[in-house]
Amino acid sequence: RLLAVRPEVRPTLPVAARGLVAPLVTDAVHVLDRGLGGPASVRRRLAALGDARSVEDVRIEQVAWGAAGLGAGLTTAAALTVASGQSSVALLAVLPIAGAVTGVLGRDWALSRALRRRQAALLAELPDVAELVALAVTAGEGLLGAIDRVCGLTRGALAAELGDVLGRVRAGASVVAALESLRDRTAVPELARFVDGVVVALERGTPLADVLRAQAADVRDAGRRALLESGGRREIAMLLPVVFGILP
């Protein structure tokens, strides 16, 4: 009987390249985890953003940004060397390293910036959402029914977070536990005070609509104070070019 000889299966180029690059990326991810203080900070920011990605995904993106920065640094160093006609070892060493570090830290900065923008959106939406929930409660709705109605009528970051609260309650969690999870996840001080006020009202039987209106008024007052402080700082910053530039 003749035996058929199975041809040798050779990996294609993308598969082979992936097999070579994957261990390097894994090692780089571990180095970043150790060098940037561990995964706790990234995990907290991803949870506050409502991002389903893992810490490893963010670290891989940091490695990619670092590689892009390294390539940009090498390209810049080569262009400067050609333009000047002189090769500088310091230039060829410093620019690629600076580009790689800038890429890695830039991805981390982008994540922090996205978190700050989301927190600002939550804070901007909080007074209106609180007043809408208070209006629904005054009309006879319970707290969950009022939140459900407001989530159906509004769109935004806070409506999405309240929808997550409803999902947790429907999955079996208590209302207080779901609200406290919202408070801990978002890490917005004004929203934390709002949640604490609602939790205290639920536990002590305080009229919920009055608490919601008071919380909304406090958030609006805090926003006005922050706006005045920002205006004062910008006024001082605007005086600097006048004093040190135009007047001399």
Side-chain angles (χ1 to χ4, degrees):
R1 179 181 299 179
L2 296 178
L3 298 177
V5 179
R6 185 178 179 181
E8 182 182 358
V9 178
R10 296 183 178 179
T12 60
L13 181 59
V15 175
R18 196 181 305 120
L20 291 174
V21 172
L24 299 177
V25 173
T26 302
D27 293 340
V29 166
H30 291 323
V31 170
L32 282 179
D33 251 348
R34 289 193 298 268
L36 297 179
S41 175
V42 177
R43 189 177 296 113
R44 175 183 57 80
R45 284 177 287 176
L46 289 175
L49 283 169
D51 199 325
R53 289 178 298 175
S54 64
V55 177
E56 288 75 14
D57 294 334
V58 176
R59 294 302 190 205
I60 290 173
E61 291 179 6
Q62 284 184 292
V63 171
W65 283 44
L70 179 65
L74 286 172
T75 303
T76 304
L80 291 176
T81 301
V82 171
S84 63
Q86 297 177 355
S87 61
S88 172
V89 178
L91 186 67
L92 293 174
V94 170
L95 283 182
I97 295 175
V101 172
T102 302
V104 170
L105 297 181
R107 180 64 188 91
D108 191 76
W109 173 83
L111 184 63
S112 299
R113 182 172 181 269
L115 177 59
R116 289 194 298 269
R117 293 178 62 183
R118 182 174 178 82
Q119 289 176 335
L122 290 172
L123 184 58
E125 297 168 12
L126 179 57
D128 296 332
V129 171
E131 288 178 352
L132 288 174
V133 174
L135 182 62
V137 170
T138 305
E141 292 277 5
L143 178 61
L144 294 180
I147 292 175
D148 191 11
R149 186 175 294 275
V150 170
C151 289
L153 294 174
T154 59
R155 297 290 183 272
L158 186 54
E161 293 290 348
L162 292 177
D164 182 75
V165 170
L166 289 176
R168 290 175 181 269
V169 173
R170 288 165 182 166
S174 65
V175 179
V176 173
L179 289 173
E180 289 177 344
S181 174
L182 168 64
R183 176 196 63 194
D184 298 336
R185 185 174 63 253
T186 53
V188 179
E190 292 80 3
L191 184 56
R193 288 196 294 270
F194 172 78
V195 171
D196 290 338
V198 173
V199 169
V200 170
L202 290 175
E203 292 177 345
R204 298 182 180 179
T206 308
L208 190 57
D210 297 338
V211 173
L212 291 171
R213 291 193 189 93
Q215 293 288 339
D218 289 343
V219 173
R220 291 189 188 279
D221 291 339
R224 294 190 190 97
R225 289 194 298 270
L227 187 61
L228 290 175
E229 293 174 359
S230 176
R233 290 192 298 269
R234 291 177 184 274
E235 182 180 2
I236 295 173
M238 290 171 63
L239 287 175
L240 293 178
V242 175
V243 173
F244 296 103
I246 297 177
L247 291 182

